Every structure is written in structure tokens, then in C-alpha cells.
Amino acid sequence: MDFEHIRYRCTDGVARLTLHRPERLNAFNTAMHAELRTALDAVQADVSARVLVLGGAGRGFCAGQDLADAAVRFEPGGEPPDLGAVVERDYMPLVQRLAALRVPTLAAVHGVAAGAGATLALGCDIVVASRSASFVQAFCKIGLLPDTGGTWVLPQRVGMARALGLAMLGERLPAPQAADWGLIWAVYDDAVFSAEVDALAVRLASSPTRALVRTRQAMHAAARNTLEQQLALEAGCMRELGRSADYIEGVEAFIAKRPPRFRGD
Ligand code: T3D
């Protein structure tokens, strides 16, 4: 598929979506958002896709909203921009599409992930970073709050004290500390980062896709469920997954002491 501000390809079950405005640290503009929606819809419709890998081109992952974009600029003497409308049109659908994706999502963060760039990465199922990468909740520096799901995911991952510190001070959080705090899954040395991401992508692409996605959905639902509701949800998921081809394959492979060949259904 041809895009201007992103790159997208899907080979061997691995859908790779790369933010591609390196001269702007891959900051989001309106056109990039539209392309992201199209690409995520393509992943959702592509039955050969088994994992989505989200990355950035050039020296960093993403600097969040492009603050020079006309959609968010305040022209002296004019009306202030309606950032709520921008969020509803661009950022909410992005997070919602990622959360509803029928394949696991892997964010590969190198360089800086700032503002909505950071919270977008944190919206993926698994977040890995190169050792030199950093996360910046830059919103407070310009008088905003962490959007793109930031106020939801930060306290869940790192607890209220660290979430508020990150959001109110806007300091760079180095990737190794982010991993120590449980904000992200793992950090790899810069020299091997891309190889480690590829290996993880291949591993996820050969995993029982539906089980992984039900796991994401169940864990997200836990935030609003009672224990009783969550137990019932788990039972429903197990009922469904117990009838899947991947479950049959997983058990047969275990008994036969061979690696499973999951097909994702
Ligand atoms: O619509 C709405 O506004 C609501 C939605 C909001 C969501 C958000 O994401 S709000 C937060 C927006 N992002 C920021 O506030 C981050 C701003 N950028 C920075 O704080 C720093 O650039 C970084 C910490 C990301 C990286 O610092 P550093 O020193 O590595 O790079 P730099 O030199 O500051 O930036 C490199 C270039 O990218 C530079 O351009 P130049 O001077 O080389 O021509 C810089 O202006 C540009 N750049 C970086 N971030 C943005 C940007 N240009 C436009 N928008 C940006 N967000």
C-alpha cells in the first residue's frame, strides 16, 4: 500500500507499520492519522496478518502531535483550536483500533517517544525499547494532559505516584528505568534491537493469535469488572478457545513432545 507519512507491509504474518516523518521526529499530522486508520483497517482485514509491529523511521519513535500542524495551531486574533475535536477525530480512533485489533501488537521504540507518541506505544500489547530510548510525557510542558489513553495506562502500569510524577513533571524516562518500573516489557541493546524485535515478531506471528487477543481483551476488561464478572468472562473465553484449532494443536503437540504449529484460529 502506498502512503506518504507511514510505511506499511505485511510479509510472513508480520504486519509492519512505520511512522515515517523522520524530519519531524515522526510527529502526527492530520494526514498521517488518516493513513494510520487506513493501514490499521488493512491489518484488521488481512487474515494472513498474525502480529502488528509498530515502529518509527529515523532517529526516534514519535514526538507526538505535530505542534506546527494547522489543525492545532493558534493564530493570534483567531479562535483557539478545538483540541477535543482533534482527539475525537484522530487519537481516539487510533487507540480504539489498536485495542480492537485481531492480532497482538508490538511497539518497537528507539530514540524518543514523546507525548501521544509515548502513549501510542504504551497502547500496544508488548512494548520493547532500545537501551538508549526514552519516554517523555511531554503534555504538561504545553499545558495539556496525557491523552491517547495515557491517563488510563500510566497509573495501571506504574502506580499513581509514578504516573503523576511522569505526567506532571514531563521528564525523560530512560528505557531501562521504564522497564524496571514495569511500564514496558523489555530493553535490548541498541546493536541487537532490530534483530530482537524481528525475533519477537516471528514468535508472536506463530503464536495462537486468538488466545493472545482474548487475553488482551480480558485483561483490559478487568479494569471495570468485579471478580465475579471477570471469572465469568474467563469462563466464556475458555469455552470459545477450547473449541479452537490452536488449542487442539497445542495439546497434541505437548503430548507428542513436538513444537506446536499454530495457525491463529
Ligand atoms: O491536537 C492536539 O494538540 C491534542 C493532542 C496532543 C497529543 C500530543 O502529543 S501533545 C504533545 C506534543 N509533543 C510534544 O510536546 C513534544 C515536543 N518535542 C519535544 O519535546 C522534543 O522535540 C523531544 C523531547 C521529542 C525530542 O527532543 P530532541 O532534543 O531529541 O529533538 P529536538 O531538537 O527538540 O527536535 C528535532 C526536530 O523535531 C526539531 O525540528 P528542527 O529544529 O530540527 O527543525 C523539532 O522542532 C521537531 N519536533 C520535535 N517534536 C515536534 C517537532 N515538530 C513538531 N511537533 C513536535 N511535536
Side-chain angles (χ1 to χ4, degrees):
M1 297 175 89
D2 281 341
F3 295 107
E4 188 182 352
H5 303 299
I6 62 173
R7 297 289 180 269
Y8 174 71
R9 69 192 155 93
C10 183
T11 45
D12 299 328
V14 178
R16 289 179 191 275
L17 210 171
T18 306
L19 309 175
H20 202 278
R21 298 185 73 219
E23 71 289 355
R24 290 275 190 180
L25 271 173
N26 303 319
F28 298 104
N29 63 10
T30 307
M32 185 200 263
H33 272 293
E35 292 185 353
L36 282 168
R37 289 193 285 275
T38 303
L40 289 174
D41 289 346
V43 180
Q44 190 75 322
D46 183 349
V47 289
S48 75
R50 301 278 301 278
V51 63
L52 172 75
V53 182
L54 186 60
R59 72 179 180 89
F61 179 78
C62 177
Q65 170 65 38
D66 185 338
L67 299 174
D69 193 37
V72 298
R73 281 295 287 275
F74 175 60
E75 300 300 343
E79 285 291 308
D82 182 351
L83 296 191
V86 175
V87 165
E88 285 165 1
R89 184 193 64 205
D90 290 338
Y91 289 94
M92 281 174 59
L94 181 55
V95 176
Q96 288 163 338
R97 274 175 171 76
L98 268 185
L101 216 58
R102 40 157 285 283
V103 298
T105 54
L106 169 64
V109 177
H110 76 290
V112 71
T119 45
L120 172 70
L122 297 176
C124 288
D125 298 325
I126 296 184
V127 188
V128 296
S130 64
R131 192 163 297 282
S132 62
S134 58
F135 297 80
V136 192
Q137 297 300 319
F139 307 89
C140 63
K141 301 271 177 72
I142 55 169
L144 298 178
L145 91 168
D147 69 350
T148 317
T151 58
W152 191 76
V153 76
L154 285 170
Q156 278 185 24
R157 295 259 175 98
V158 299
M160 195 60 82
R162 284 171 169 164
L164 284 171
L166 288 171
M168 290 190 171
L169 300 176
E171 291 174 5
R172 270 181 202 257
L173 181 70
Q177 197 173 356
D180 285 349
W181 282 10
L183 185 64
I184 65 173
W185 168 244
V187 167
Y188 303 114
D189 287 339
D190 292 22
V192 296
F193 180 61
S194 141
E196 292 286 354
V197 169
D198 288 349
L200 211 44
V202 168
R203 182 169 157 191
L204 287 167
S206 49
S207 293
T209 311
R210 197 193 308 184
L212 302 195
V213 170
R214 291 288 177 266
T215 302
R216 171 213 299 148
Q217 291 169 338
M219 288 199 183
H220 284 189
R224 58 176 186 274
N225 277 349
T226 63
L227 175 61
E228 288 307 314
Q229 288 168 327
Q230 194 65 14
L231 290 172
L233 186 152
E234 288 173 2
C237 290
M238 292 297 260
R239 182 167 296 115
E240 175 201 345
L241 295 172
R243 293 173 179 143
S244 71
D246 278 347
Y247 171 66
I248 294 167
E249 166 62 10
V251 174
E252 277 181 4
F254 178 80
I255 302 289
K257 298 189 187 304
R258 63 167 173 80
R261 289 180 294 268
F262 294 121
R263 295 192 328 228
D265 54 11

